[in-house]
């Protein structure tokens, strides 16, 4: 390990290692972040939920939206519309989108997550989760 | 790293590890690898989460799922269900005892809601064996700021302004102590961290050292810079092997990064730390005894003054602070004295870590703002008394402290309030007792402890504590007379006034405070020869009453075979033979045995 020779160098190292704890810090402040839940039961995975999850993580980062935390959840019960994702803006009710393709995910990120504008494909919420 | 979507944190504190934590980690890692998720899910061994009652604990982030009482057999389900399919394993979630509902997010649990974590900020959050994680949490930034942008005087001023007071028991203002140490000129000065932690039931300092060792290392270096010391020593009890290991590892990591050693961060400031292992004597937590022990002498105190700030380790100016005191320092420098002093009460700023123990539902480690009431700690965070029993008292300050009762429950906890109520903050042990605990017996427990731990140097403490525990023995055996109670009081005062160090000066406190609050109970032992709480075995009797149907269960469980009686006939206990173990009382289904 090279020695750190100044406060500036220490700050550079901090910037490099920030991602180690980023995910956890997001968890701590989850209520003030945009939460995206990707339904990841067998039906969701078969329909490509895993790829959608990766896409959302990368694309939202590219779009400069840092206050988003993406987690997976179990089957939300909308098997007819997989992949489904649930997006919760801070302080708002969760909104579920069905049949999410990459294009649609992009729209959701650009319109809903960035500006709060609704996009097509919203499914009425019927499920409940343990808090 | 960038690909990681989930972090699985497993408590690596002494408590959880002794309950198969290590196996849980191994299982998780191999099962995650088998599932091909090892690039997406990281498993980390962290420090204590505090909720020891429910350990081993596994926490999944970012969704904050908090699994309790996890066994190595549970890991497969966690991996298959939660990590692969995103379904929470409901049977492992914490169930709120009041509402009988499962709670998944730890932030919504009563145990955590009223807590505020400053000293424990990284415990249960980072991997203590990875300096990068500490740095990612602004670690060593405070040291960097101090040595690059601040003078020793401005560092001391900031600590003074924060109002921080020592967390080792005395509550002495930390900034002032640093100023004293700085004010003496010497060719060598020392910074000592007191990690002796000898209070029965206390494990605050151990948890900080196990869960966030760098916070203490960083703070010691800051202190060295402020007072002009280049050498730091941690006096840590040898009974804390895991804390020692993690601390030593962290010191090595810090050295490799040049955060300890010569010319730290290019500032020219030099500082390094070594460990000294203590053999676990309570008196060695007293700072002068600690210093003598470090010098290879007998661990005995000497009179103050001179204080260590003037003449300490090898006669040089030395600053001694407690582990938790140090853990607060980096945050104070980064967030500022104003921020820190806005938390807590006017004269006790910041937070305090407590080890909750005894007859309380949520045994564990907590950190609350000063000024939180005992009621909030015991009922909201601690979840109330075990088995629906009644609260009787809480002992704060360990063997040096006193008991607080029902009438004190709404007292905001701070240094001065607890002293005004006849107890003290101490280092943060909090032992809750219920209606079935006998107060003279509790006083006896503490006095036996201080008698054992007295170093023997001064007579009042050496002989006095022995006499006190003998007197309490008489009380608990029903052999005491009223004059013995007078003697207890008189002797207590003498010992308080004449002992050499804090150990003896405070040793009688458990007696005086229980006498004050539970005088009736002492009288019952002396005059009526009874123990109202039913704990003193020489004063209780088990007697079979008319409810007995002769089921013979009691006779079968009696280990000394002193219960006689024909089947379907009332049984009888031979009082001379009975050892009062209570086994029959617990087994009887017909409420046919009275405890008197
Ligand atoms: C009998 C006795 C035991 C003590 N044990 C401890 C201990 O285990 N840990 C500790 O930090 N301070 C202990 N102290 C207090 C120390 O003497 C000293 O005041 C403290 O380490 C100073 O640090 P602080 O100002 O940060 O609290 C003890 C004092 C006495 C009289």
């Amino acid at each position: 390990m090279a020695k750190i020779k100044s406060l500036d160098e220490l700050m550079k190292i901090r910037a490099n290692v920030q991602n180690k704890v980023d995910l956890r810090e997001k968890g701590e402040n989850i209520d003030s972040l945009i939460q995206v839940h990707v339904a990841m039961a067998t039906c969701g995975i078969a329909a490509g939920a895993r790829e959608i999850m990766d896409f959302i993580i990368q694309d939202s980062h590219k779009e400069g939206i840092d206050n988003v935390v993406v987690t997976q959840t179990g089957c939300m019960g909308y098997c007819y519309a997989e992949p489904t994702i649930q997006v919760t803006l801070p302080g708002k009710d969760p909104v579920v989108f069905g049949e999410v393709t990459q294009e649609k995910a992009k729209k959701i990120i650009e319109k809903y997550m960035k500006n709060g504008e609704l996009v097509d494909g919203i499914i009425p919420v019927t499920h409940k989760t343990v808090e | 790293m960038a690909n990681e979507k989930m972090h699985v944190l497993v408590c690596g504190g002494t408590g959880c590890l002794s309950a198969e934590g290590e196996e849980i980690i191994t299982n998780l890692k191999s099962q995650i690898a088998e599932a091909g998720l090892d690039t997406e899910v990281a498993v980390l061994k962290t420090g204590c989460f505090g909720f020891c009652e429910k350990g081993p604990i596994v926490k999944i982030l970012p969704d904050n799922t908090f699994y309790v009482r996890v066994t190595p057999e549970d890991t497969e389900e966690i991996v298959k269900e939660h990590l692969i399919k995103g379904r929470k394993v409901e049977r492992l979630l914490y169930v709120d005892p009041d509402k009988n509902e499962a709670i998944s997010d730890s932030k919504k649990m009563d145990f955590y809601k009223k807590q505020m974590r400053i000293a424990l900020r990284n415990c249960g959050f980072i991997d203590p064996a990875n300096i990068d994680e500490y740095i990612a949490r602004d670690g060593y930034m405070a040291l960097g700021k101090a040595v690059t942008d601040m003078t020793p005087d401005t560092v001391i001023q900031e600590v003074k302004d924060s109002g921080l007071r020592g967390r080792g028991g005395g509550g002495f203002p930390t900034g002032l102590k640093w100023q004293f140490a700085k004010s003496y000129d010497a060719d060598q000065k020392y910074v000592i961290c007191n990690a002796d932690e000898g209070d029965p039931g206390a494990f605050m300092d151990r948890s900080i050292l196990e869960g966030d060792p760098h916070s203490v290392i960083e703070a010691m270096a800051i202190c060295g810079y402020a007072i002009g010391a280049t050498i730091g020593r941690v006096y840590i009890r040898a009974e804390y092997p895991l804390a020692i290991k993690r601390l030593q590892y962290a010191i090595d990591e810090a050295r490799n990064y040049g955060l300890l050693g010569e010319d730290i961060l290019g500032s020219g400031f030099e500082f390094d730390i070594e460990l000294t292992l203590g053999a676990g004597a309570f008196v060695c937590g007293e700072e002068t005894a600690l210093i003598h022990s470090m010098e290879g002498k007998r661990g005995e105190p000497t009179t103050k003054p001179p204080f260590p700030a003037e003449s300490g380790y090898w006669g040089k100016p030395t600053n001694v602070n407690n582990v938790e005191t140090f853990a607060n320092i980096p945050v104070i420098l980064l967030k500022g004295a104003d921020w820190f002093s806005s938390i807590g009460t006017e004269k006790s700023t910041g937070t305090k870590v407590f080890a909750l123990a005894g007859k309380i539902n949520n045994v564990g480690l907590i950190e609350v703002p000063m000024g939180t009431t005992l009621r909030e700690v015991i009922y909201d965070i601690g979840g109330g008394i075990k088995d629906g029993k009644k609260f009787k008292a809480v002992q704060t300050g360990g063997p040096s402290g006193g008991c607080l009762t029902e009438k004190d429950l709404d007292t905001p906890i701070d240094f001065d309030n607890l002293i005004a109520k006849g107890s003290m903050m101490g280092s943060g042990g909090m032992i809750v007792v219920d209606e079935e605990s006998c107060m003279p017996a509790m006083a006896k427990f503490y006095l036996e402890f201080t008698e054992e731990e007295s170093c023997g140097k001064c007579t009042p403490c050496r002989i006095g504590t022995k006499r006190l525990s003998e007197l309490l023995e008489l009380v608990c055996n029903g052999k005491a007379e009223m004059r013995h109670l007078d003697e207890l009081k008189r002797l207590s005062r003498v010992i308080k006034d004449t002992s050499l160090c804090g150990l003896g000066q405070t040793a009688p406190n458990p007696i005086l405070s229980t006498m004050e609050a539970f005088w009736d109970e002492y009288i019952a032992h002396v005059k009526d020869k009874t123990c109202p709480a039913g704990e003193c075995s020489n004063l209780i009797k088990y007697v079979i009453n008319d409810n007995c149907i002769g089921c013979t269960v009691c006779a079968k469980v009696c280990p000394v075979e002193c219960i006689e009686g024909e089947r379907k006939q009332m049984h009888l206990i031979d009082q001379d033979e009975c050892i009062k173990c209570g086994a029959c009382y617990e087994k009887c289904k017909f409420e046919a045995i009275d405890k008197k």
Side-chain angles (χ1 to χ4, degrees):
Chain A
M1 244 189 287
K3 294 219 190 302
I4 308 173
K5 295 206 186 59
S6 67
L7 181 54
D8 282 342
E9 269 186 50
L10 179 64
M11 282 157 123
K12 270 188 210 132
I13 293 196
R14 179 181 60 176
N16 286 339
V17 294
Q18 193 64 48
N19 60 3
K20 277 188 192 273
V21 295
D22 218 28
L23 195 68
R24 276 169 263 164
E25 284 182 344
K26 282 184 170 168
E28 291 237 301
N29 308 316
I30 204 157
D31 295 330
S32 57
L33 299 173
I34 303 175
Q35 296 177 51
V36 180
H37 293 286
V38 182
M40 258 325 189
T42 314
C43 48
I45 296 174
R50 204 167 270 287
E51 290 74 26
I52 290 298
M53 183 166 176
D54 280 337
F55 178 79
I56 295 174
I57 292 175
Q58 277 153 22
D59 200 62
S60 57
H61 189 68
K62 244 198 289 171
E63 289 289 323
I65 313 176
D66 283 330
N67 61 334
V68 54
V69 48
V70 186
T71 56
Q72 49 185 17
T73 74
C75 179
M76 295 193 276
Y78 314 106
C79 309
Y80 57 92
E82 294 298 345
T84 49
I85 67 168
Q86 173 184 308
V87 182
T88 316
L89 300 184
K92 295 239 169 81
D93 285 334
V95 177
V96 177
F97 300 92
E99 290 168 61
V100 181
T101 55
Q102 290 208 357
E103 293 94 86
K104 194 152 169 192
K106 200 158 180 61
K107 256 196 201 148
I108 295 170
I109 292 168
E110 283 171 359
K111 296 231 161 98
Y112 188 60
M113 283 164 54
K114 257 191 170 169
N115 305 320
E117 289 168 38
L118 288 177
V119 295
D120 298 343
I122 294 178
I123 310 179
V125 176
T126 54
H127 69 289
K128 259 190 134 152
T129 44
V130 184
E131 289 282 304
Chain B
M1 263 294 162
N3 247 336
E4 281 177 10
K5 296 195 194 85
M6 265 189 260
H7 287 178
V8 182
L9 311 187
V10 184
C11 175
T14 293
C16 285
L17 279 190
S18 58
E20 304 184 298
E22 208 66 73
E23 237 182 297
I24 294 175
I25 296 173
T26 325
N27 284 1
L28 280 170
K29 281 194 172 153
S30 68
Q31 287 155 359
I32 286 170
E34 253 168 58
L37 288 176
D38 42 346
T39 53
E40 291 180 26
V41 183
V43 179
L44 297 142
K45 179 157 64 168
T46 69
C48 180
F49 292 101
F51 206 176
C52 311
E53 177 75 28
K54 299 284 177 207
I57 286 163
V58 172
K59 191 171 172 183
I60 300 187
L61 283 164
D63 54 78
N64 282 318
T65 308
F66 197 84
Y67 289 129
V68 298
R69 296 245 164 102
V70 179
T71 66
E73 289 74 49
D74 293 329
T75 56
E76 199 176 335
E77 197 173 340
I78 295 180
V79 174
K80 288 208 166 128
E81 285 296 302
H82 193 138
L83 302 185
I84 299 181
K85 296 192 185 143
R87 279 199 293 249
K88 292 181 180 168
V89 184
E90 278 201 42
R91 69 177 178 88
L92 294 175
L93 293 176
Y94 171 71
V95 178
D96 182 300
D98 290 339
K99 300 188 200 96
N100 210 5
E101 272 173 13
I103 304 181
S104 158
D105 186 343
S106 55
K107 292 200 303 304
K108 302 202 165 90
M109 289 163 43
D110 285 339
F111 183 75
Y112 287 106
K113 263 191 221 157
K114 291 205 167 162
Q115 292 201 47
M116 174 171 194
R117 301 187 141 215
I118 298 177
L120 299 176
R121 62 194 176 280
N122 290 325
C123 279
F125 192 86
I126 62 169
D127 176 357
N130 185 341
I131 191 171
D132 285 346
E133 296 219 340
Y134 181 67
I135 291 175
R137 296 277 281 175
D138 296 335
Y140 291 102
M141 286 295 150
L143 175 62
K145 183 175 168 185
V147 297
T148 1
D149 298 337
M150 297 172 87
T151 65
D153 284 321
T154 52
V155 171
I156 290 174
Q157 194 58 43
E158 195 75 21
V159 177
K160 271 169 107 175
D161 291 345
S162 74
L164 177 67
R165 293 170 66 175
R167 305 298 195 235
F172 190 83
T174 306
L176 200 57
K177 197 187 263 189
W178 289 18
Q179 190 183 345
F180 288 146
K182 174 167 189 285
S183 71
Y184 294 99
D185 278 327
D187 52 354
Q188 182 65 61
K189 296 184 189 181
Y190 298 98
V191 174
I192 291 178
C193 172
N194 187 343
D196 193 53
E197 194 164 54
D199 282 12
F203 56 102
M204 297 79 54
D205 296 345
R206 188 190 77 203
S207 300
I208 292 174
L209 291 171
E210 286 177 359
D212 193 17
H214 286 288
S215 67
V216 176
I217 296 171
E218 181 181 6
M220 288 177 71
I222 293 170
C223 177
Y225 177 72
I227 68 166
T230 55
I231 297 178
R233 282 285 162 91
V234 182
Y235 187 87
I236 180 166
R237 52 174 46 221
E239 291 99 320
Y240 281 177
L242 187 61
I244 293 169
K245 194 174 120 198
R246 299 237 174 109
L247 187 58
Q248 187 58 59
Y249 186 82
I251 290 172
D252 294 342
E253 273 190 310
R255 274 191 201 132
N256 285 339
Y257 262 174
L259 296 164
L260 285 178
E262 287 168 10
D263 193 20
I264 293 172
L265 295 174
S267 66
F269 169 61
E270 172 189 347
F271 192 78
D272 210 342
I273 298 175
E274 278 179 24
L275 306 188
T276 304
L277 306 195
F282 181 56
V283 74
C284 287
E286 196 283 330
E287 54 192 10
T288 61
L290 179 148
I291 287 168
H292 297 137
S293 166
M294 282 181 51
E295 292 169 344
K297 301 182 188 137
R298 292 175 72 151
E300 290 177 346
T302 38
T303 44
K304 296 186 278 193
F307 287 92
E310 182 185 351
S311 171
Y313 190 44
W314 301 121
K316 302 289 181 189
T318 303
N319 182 79
V320 184
N321 274 129
N322 164 264
V323 172
E324 187 187 334
T325 313
F326 276 127
N328 280 292
I329 296 287
V331 194
I332 290 175
L333 288 202
L334 287 183
K335 294 201 176 176
D338 288 345
W339 170 81
F340 191 82
S341 60
S342 71
I343 301 160
T345 63
E346 198 190 332
K347 292 201 175 130
S348 302
T349 55
T351 56
K352 179 76 195 86
V353 181
F354 291 101
L356 274 184
K359 304 286 179 59
I360 189 158
N361 277 319
N362 301 339
V363 167
L365 193 73
I366 65 158
E367 181 172 356
V368 289
M370 296 274 191
T372 305
T373 66
L374 282 167
R375 190 184 298 283
E376 289 171 294
V377 169
I378 294 168
Y379 287 94
D380 298 344
I381 298 172
I385 309 303
K386 268 210 166 90
D387 304 325
K389 300 250 164 67
K390 236 182 102 199
F391 167 79
K392 185 168 185 180
V394 53
Q395 175 84 10
T396 64
S400 313
C403 69
L404 298 158
T405 60
E406 188 75 38
K407 67 177 183 350
D408 306 316
L409 281 179
D410 293 307
T411 306
I413 303 170
D414 72 8
F415 287 106
D416 311 297
N417 279 342
L418 292 189
I419 288 173
K421 294 277 174 190
S423 182
M424 62 189 260
M425 180 79 81
S427 59
M430 234 188 221
I431 298 181
V432 177
V433 298
D434 68 11
E435 53 193 331
E436 288 179 1
S437 306
C438 166
M439 301 316 274
M442 184 171 94
K444 182 165 140 263
F445 165 81
Y446 282 116
L447 260 297
E448 281 167 359
F449 177 82
T450 37
E451 180 199 337
E452 171 85 19
E453 295 290 339
S454 169
C455 74
K457 184 173 180 180
C458 73
T459 318
C461 178
R462 180 183 70 243
I463 301 183
T465 52
K466 174 140 192 74
R467 291 289 102 86
L468 287 177
S469 42
E470 284 167 3
L471 287 165
L472 288 168
E473 179 87 28
L474 289 181
V475 173
C476 292
N477 284 336
K479 302 218 167 85
E481 294 162 21
M482 284 309 284
R483 67 184 168 90
H484 291 120
L485 294 186
D486 294 338
E487 182 60 14
L488 266 174
K489 275 192 202 162
R490 195 187 59 84
L491 193 55
S492 288
R493 302 231 173 276
V494 174
I495 296 171
K496 266 176 93 81
D497 290 344
T498 54
S499 291
L500 173 61
C501 85
L503 195 152
Q505 288 157 11
T506 58
N509 285 352
I511 304 178
L512 293 172
S513 83
T514 50
M515 278 192 156
E516 168 90 26
F518 297 98
W519 180 244
D520 291 352
E521 221 173 305
Y522 278 87
I523 296 292
H525 282 74
V526 175
K527 287 202 167 148
D528 311 336
K529 310 291 175 205
T530 58
C531 173
E535 190 185 331
C536 294
S537 58
N538 280 332
L539 297 182
I540 50 171
K541 232 169 54 175
Y542 291 99
V543 185
I544 297 180
N545 64 32
D546 292 347
N547 287 346
C548 179
I549 60 152
C551 73
T552 75
V553 164
C554 56
K556 281 192 198 119
V557 297
C558 177
V560 291
E561 299 184 352
C562 75
I563 306 182
E564 277 178 28
E566 293 293 310
R567 176 166 269 285
K568 298 199 175 155
Q569 307 247 318
M570 192 166 149
H571 282 47
L572 187 72
I573 301 176
D574 180 345
Q575 294 299 336
D576 292 338
E577 295 293 316
C578 175
I579 57 163
K580 292 160 190 153
C581 68
C584 55
Y585 178 76
E586 263 154 39
K587 274 276 144 56
C588 178
K589 290 201 185 87
F590 305 96
E591 294 188 9
I593 300 181
D594 294 323
K595 183 171 163 184
K596 289 182 179 167

